[in-house]
Amino acid sequence: MSVRPADFPPPFSNDEAIGAVTDAPDERIDVGILIVGGGPGGLACAVRLGQLLDEHPETRELLGDVPVAVLEKGKQPGSHLLSGAVMNARAIRRLFGGRIPIEEMPTYGPVHGEAVYLLTKGAALRIPPPPTMMNHGNWIVSVSELGRFLAEQAEAAGVMILPETAGQKLLVEHGRVVGARTGDKGRGRDGEPLSNFEPGVDVTARITVLAEGTAGHLTTAAIDRFGLHGSNPQIWALGVKEVWKVPKPLHRIVHTMGWPLRKRAKYGEFGGSFIYPMGEEHVSIGFVVGLEYADVELSAHDVLQEFKTHRLVRKILAGGERVAWGAKTITEGGLLSLPSKLNAPGLLLVGEGAGLVNVPRLKGVHYAIESGRLAAEAAFAALQRGEVAHRRGALDSYDASLRASYVWKDLAEVRNMRQVFDKGFFMGGALASAMTVTKGKLPPKDFDTHANADAPLIRTGRAAQYPAPDGTLTFDKLSSVFASGNRTRDDQPSHVRVQAKVPRDLAEMWQWMCPAHVYEVGDADGDGTVEVKVTPSNCVQCGAISAKGGRLTPPEGGSGPEYTLT
Amino acid sequence: MAGTLVFLETHDGELTKGGLGVLGKAAALGDAAGVVLGSGVREAAARAGAFGASTVYVVEDDALASPLPQPRVDALEAVVRESGADTVLFAASVLSADVASGLAARLEAGLNWDLTDLRLEGGELVGTRPALGDTVLVEVGWTSTPRLALIRSGTFDPVETGGTAEVKDVVASFQDFSTAATLVDHLQEASSGPSIEEADVIVAGGRGLGAPEGFTICEDLAAALGGAVAATRAVVDAGWYPYAAQVGQTGKTVSPKLYIALGISGAIQHKVGMQGSGTIVAINKDANAPIFDFADLGVVGDLAQIAPKLTELLKARS
Amino acid sequence: MKVAVCVKQVPDAAVHKRLDPGTHRLDRSAEGALNATDVNAVEEALRLKEAHGGEVVVVSLGPEKAIESLRKALAMGADRAVLVSDDAAAGSDLLATGYALAKALEREEADLVLFGQQSSDADGAVLWAAVSDRLRRPMVSQVAELTLEGGTVTGKRQTEFGYDVISAPLPAVVAVSDAINEPRYPSLKGIMGAKSKPQDVLGLSDVGIEADRVGEAGSRTVVRSSSPPPPKSGQVKIEDDGSAAERIVDYLAEKRLI
């Protein structure tokens, strides 16, 4: 009888992430608009709000001493941002009203050329880029650097950015969102307050924007509380990437499919790699695997290491040195997994947290920015004198504007692309081509997705193919966690919720799955279950565990990776 | 090198090893004189001749009775002036670091610290200093005289040459502010042994110990060596040993002369907390453990057998 | 009572600290955080202020963006920040830095000047002793416990031989070790209020520092080159055949470690 992660749900209820205001009035902090998440979506929202409030000081006055605040759980904006990335510049240009040329923003230049390969173990067959993958006119960026840039712009526009601050609980009263409570700091391993214990604070706001990115903690709870579930469950992929300093510059972006992933439908291995030049001296290389895979021993980190041993990749990395590593999940469900509405009384959902990612095109950064901008405009409108920001429907203009935008149009075109790969690479490929050519009109029915945690586990001895880490080309997980800049304080409560005793297959699956080596198979209990050993301080908060039977919650603010180049 | 002074400290009436080691190095590079400052230190001072000093300058004064740095800056200034020395070397210690730095300001002189080597190159003095957690070696120099240098503790061993030194007394005057701080009391360390930050020897335990009880092996070995016990993140997480003993990226950084790692795999999170140690000895059952990549002496074997035996042998020697 | 705390900014990301290949000095381009033990010093200053009243000012020397890390001290509760920032001061060694800091501190006329002192030998310069000499004030370093009473500061100073208890009259300079306290987390209100606290960025002339006393011109030491350390030589790996303990003893004896 094979094990399904979904049968072992985490000891966590979304109710834990929702609560009423408990701080006394002089203890709580009141802001005009609270944005949770300092990524491209949240910061674009902040920048746009800053612009609007500059143009309309009478509205700014209505919002108190701190009109706009952004909570960011990382050490600084960018610390938890990781992506490929090749970005469509249209949204960021629009955000700055054309006043800042793209050349003045932190990018690694426009895409000069593109190649797609189908790999086998020994060969690389160049194939014409699928129509969804034409990147001419797009720009190569580090989303971490972009985050730092957007944060500077937001601060210049009068926005208050609060780093090292986690959004722990959504504050809801009388059926509307009234802000968020920040996380405690200075608790010991068993939750006991240490000598420098600093309790979290209720931050109240007229409108709260959730821009938490993938596997968002408050977003997940909000969708549940306000009944905003979409038609399909949300699904994710896990991406692991490295940045390398290389002697020989790469002059085009590369995508690969095929090896080391397996094509047959029963493995459920959907994904591929990206290799992008970062200027003349660096490359960004990553591997993405959909989390509906079935094999207990599949490890995205080790698949990346294996991938690097391919002749094609060795040539690119030859003589180089790894300078960064990181991992993050990618929201993959597309249009059909989006929440039924992206707003509720006092609440707006933007970016990847809302599910706005175009998987076949590997794009999401510009949707985050565009949705952040549209959310700002809707929030601004709802805060005008005479409006009641939290009344039912006050923020519907956000959903309307998003549905009328290119974001929606793009997602509709590719809405079934990901799901058909359930049928395996070749069948999926054929269906995907049909979709592209007809711009989503064929095939006519919408395909269902299965939640990642529903996939029953199988064993195939996959781990035997992973290369032993040599410390030069291939690396083990612990040294990779170190390379992410992670130096999380050990003596704090565990932020990862998983059942403590599970069948061995499940514990092993988690052990392989997690790129940061958070889970280990512990002692057997004689009844077929084993204890799960958790080392939460390794966690880089990628979110994979939330897709596969557990639940990630935010640790103490400032914990986790300190990405700068990813 | 014309005129090098070496700052020699005394403790319990004896010249300390660190200063004598630097004296030996200085004597190998050229003419070296010792400097001994204190109250009742003339007898000890004379013994510097046996370790390479041709001359020993002594400043005897009540103001120097307590181990405080600022009066020593005044005294050293006087010796530098009187001797015409162009170089002053210090073996690093809590006291000497403050003296060297204060003297640098007083003489408007350059100070290089944490040096692990000194050499002459074309008449110039060149120092070597590890940086960035001992992952890089930097070469440093001076652009004027006098040149001041702090040598990392334990770098040079004393060399007994058996000579004698001429003892010269120097009289110093002391600034008011130099003598404003006073020693009120002295508290000896509790006999539980040195802290891991101060210890010359550390015995560290990891998951290979098997169980919390395994730390008795570490404690016994540490006691036999007069050292302290440390632990990896993994065992502290598991509650086997207190957080105060954790060495590593998220614990303490240590650099003892000897680090013995028992049952420790050597992941980089641990390595960065101890890679500056003088000599690293590792005992681990797993021949492929990363710690063997950087251990000076790696022993593949069962620590439960080897470590207690080692403790017995060490106790028998002393 | 006025307490001045000298702080410095250090490279943030723990991972790729590197030396600039041109100057062989620390590449500070990814700068971010307050040096860890400086945070202990700020905490100690705040505790003194809570007990005795007065003002806490943080003083630093560095590039303009160092002002961001001074905000952390303000967020913790310090009242004012002073940053002396001038291109001419880049590349200052201990002597030049000590001179510049002393000049900046003279302006403040604090009763007590605090420094943070790492307990393990690191990139930290032994600045406090140089600064005390220039300010002509008594100094106590390596302090693990500090009390202030009636114009006298008393510190428990940790040495290789135990603890010395030293007293000095104010005005004085004290360097505290990281064992002295557990620094507080800045509260959210503190973080939000930090930005509006007084932050002065001063040039050399504002502080009366001559350009030839700082930077390379004011330094008396140079960095000549840098290189990776020679690979570890003489590494020995053995398998236990029953005699490992004896072989370890021989090895340690040969290296004169026992």
Side-chain angles (χ1 to χ4, degrees), chain A residues 26 155 196 198 487 556, chain C residues 12 183 185 187 189 192 195:
Chain A
D26 60 343
E155 281 193 310
N196 55 359
E198 183 68 34
R487 11 171 207 169
E556 186 178 274
Chain C
D12 205 357
Y185 289 98
S187 68
K189 287 211 166 137
M192 293 169 82
K195 300 198 180 159

Side-chain angles (χ1 to χ4, degrees), chain C residues 70-113:
Chain C
L70 296 190
R71 288 211 191 112
K72 173 161 183 182
L74 295 175
M76 285 170 70
D79 301 292
R80 231 180 356 109
V82 173
L83 172 66
V84 177
S85 180
D86 201 306
D87 289 337
S92 293
D93 71 350
L94 165 69
L95 184 71
T97 307
Y99 174 75
L101 258 181
K103 281 298 234 183
L105 288 167
E106 267 169 21
R107 266 175 110 249
E108 292 299 325
E109 293 181 330
D111 300 292
L112 183 62
V113 176

Side-chain angles (χ1 to χ4, degrees), chain B residues 73-141:
Chain B
V73 174
D74 295 329
L76 262 179
E77 183 188 13
V79 176
V80 169
R81 218 176 304 120
E82 183 144 329
S83 67
D86 65 4
T87 305
V88 187
L89 304 178
F90 300 79
S93 73
V94 171
L95 178 64
S96 71
D98 285 346
V99 178
S101 173
L103 188 65
R106 183 70 63 85
L107 301 178
E108 299 283 351
L111 169 64
N112 281 310
W113 66 91
D114 201 29
L115 301 184
T116 52
D117 201 9
L118 266 181
R119 67 176 202 280
L120 281 172
E121 195 176 281
E124 299 232 336
L125 187 62
V126 178
T128 306
R129 178 166 68 87
L132 299 186
D134 285 19
T135 56
V136 169
L137 277 185
V138 179
E139 290 219 319
V140 294

